[in-house]
Amino acid sequence: MRNINEDNITQAVIAAMSQCSNDRLRTVMTSLVQHLHSFARDVHLTEDEWFAAISFLTEVGHITDERRQEFVLLSDTLGLSMLVTTQNNRKPAECTEATVLGPFFVPQAPRFENGEDISNGAAGAPCFVSGRVRGLDGAGVPHATLDVWQSDEDGFYDVQLPPGSEGDIEPRARAQLQTDADGRFHFRSILAEAYPIPYDGPVGQMLDALGRHPWRPAHLHFWIQADGHEPLITHIFRNHDQYLDSDAVFGVRSTLIVDWLHHEPGVAPDGTKMDVPFYTVEYEFVLNPLGAHA
Ligand code: BEZ
Ligand code: FE
């Protein structure tokens, strides 16, 4: 293989991979090379631009560690995460839609009982969250596991707080709960607020250069798992948020937008006497049975 030129280099690279014994890897890499080369031809990529792209990816790597996942942010802001989520979660229209996982999920969150306060000191207006998990047949799904996580009123998740700070040491506004025998759940937390995705790194610079903002509309994350059903990774979004139509990671679905109701001081849904204003929000999640597709 000599004297490769700009017309035959794509075929040469593909031929070089032809002995790969992993069929899926060969298929994926062949397509990737075809699309990368087409892109470079399409925009007539210059050497300076190629070098700038390499430097950018190097920066993305340098800032990434176990607390900061800049590659996920890059995928999210380019719409790749939402594309992969959408094409892998096709289900009947009645089922709750999936959206991006995001970089702030933490496995093995502390377990809470229904009715408990999961905020654990995270700052924000009190909010009482309730709902039900059901199947397509309408029946409640008992003992479903719900992972819930959200940011505080300043827009920070516990894992973003400075190392050694209180919120860093103990999880805040993050919990694992279980639905009761009727598929119902309820807990106390804080009001979800809009926040910018981390923009002090190369992805933030990219957004800035593209005239884009880093904001996500206020939301509450759920990861719901139950025997006999497909897992559901989703959020509920706060109605009327100013970023619902310009989410930096393209994750909003109309079916996931909900009213958070404001209440003056008084008695909360669980009977707690509240001497400050509070919010309530309710949502019914519909899971897809395992093996069913749209
Ligand atoms: C999140 O909602 O937690 C999130 C999603 C994508 C990028 C950054 C944050
Ligand atoms: Fe989030």
Side-chain angles (χ1 to χ4, degrees):
M1 193 195 321
R2 292 187 186 179
N3 304 324
I4 298 293
N5 60 37
E6 65 180 279
D7 296 322
N8 62 18
I9 188 156
T10 306
Q11 266 323 110
V13 178
I14 291 170
M17 300 188 291
S18 63
Q19 299 307 309
C20 173
S21 58
N22 180 329
D23 284 349
R24 178 66 182 160
L25 179 63
R26 195 177 62 251
T27 303
V28 169
M29 291 305 294
T30 298
S31 179
L32 180 65
V33 167
Q34 274 166 337
H35 283 88
L36 268 180
H37 288 207
S38 297
F39 154 73
R41 290 190 177 98
D42 187 32
V43 300
H44 196 107
L45 198 67
T46 67
E47 287 164 295
D48 282 352
E49 289 165 342
W50 174 85
F51 191 72
I54 297 293
S55 303
F56 173 78
L57 290 173
T58 304
E59 284 303 305
V60 171
H62 280 160
I63 202 172
T64 296
D65 59 21
E66 61 288 346
R67 296 174 68 91
R68 170 77 179 247
Q69 237 306 349
E70 196 79 357
F71 282 106
V72 173
L73 290 185
L74 182 58
S75 164
D76 293 342
T77 51
L78 293 181
L80 178 62
S81 308
M82 198 54 199
L83 171 59
V84 172
T85 295
T86 311
Q87 71 180 1
N88 286 285
N89 285 275
R90 296 184 188 125
K91 39 186 134 193
E94 207 192 322
C95 290
T96 303
E97 293 184 271
T99 188
V100 284
L101 174 66
F104 301 128
F105 170 73
V106 177
Q108 280 151 5
R111 298 194 78 108
F112 283 83
E113 297 299 325
N114 276 304
E116 287 188 311
D117 183 351
I118 71 161
S119 62
N120 199 21
C127 180
F128 294 84
V129 183
S130 62
R132 184 170 174 248
V133 179
R134 70 165 173 89
L136 269 181
D137 57 1
V141 178
H143 314 302
T145 301
L146 270 69
D147 269 280
V148 189
W149 67 105
Q150 68 167 104
S151 60
D152 65 14
E153 67 180 2
D154 297 318
F156 293 115
Y157 287 78
D158 51 3
V159 290
Q160 292 178 284
L161 298 173
S165 67
E166 271 181 54
D168 170 57
I169 292 163
E170 262 204 52
R172 288 181 160 187
R174 154 182 323 278
Q176 225 179 51
L177 299 118
Q178 276 211 330
T179 56
D180 67 14
D182 297 324
R184 295 186 187 281
F185 64 87
H186 68 287
F187 59 91
R188 176 174 170 171
S189 188
I190 50 173
L191 179 65
E193 301 279 6
Y195 65 84
I197 65 167
Y199 60 91
D200 57 341
V203 169
Q205 285 168 11
M206 177 190 80
L207 293 179
D208 200 37
L210 294 173
R212 290 176 53 184
H213 70 70
W215 286 83
R216 298 215 64 206
H219 59 271
L220 181 55
H221 292 260
F222 287 87
W223 183 338
I224 304 178
Q225 300 179 76
D227 287 347
H229 296 84
E230 288 179 1
L232 171 66
I233 296 175
T234 195
H235 328 332
I236 54 174
F237 292 92
R238 236 174 96 191
N239 204 358
H240 308 302
D241 189 289
Q242 65 171 309
Y243 300 110
L244 283 172
D245 289 309
S246 64
D247 181 8
V249 305
F250 308 97
V252 179
R253 329 286 309 174
S254 326
T255 56
L256 301 175
I257 300 173
V258 197
D259 285 319
W260 261 247
L261 301 178
H262 178 269
H263 303 267
E264 291 306 327
V267 181
D270 66 355
T272 309
K273 179 145 183 357
M274 300 295 294
D275 49 16
V276 292
F278 61 96
Y279 290 80
T280 55
V281 61
E282 196 176 349
Y283 197 78
E284 181 171 74
F285 295 93
V286 183
L287 301 186
N288 201 22
L290 272 182
H293 289 286

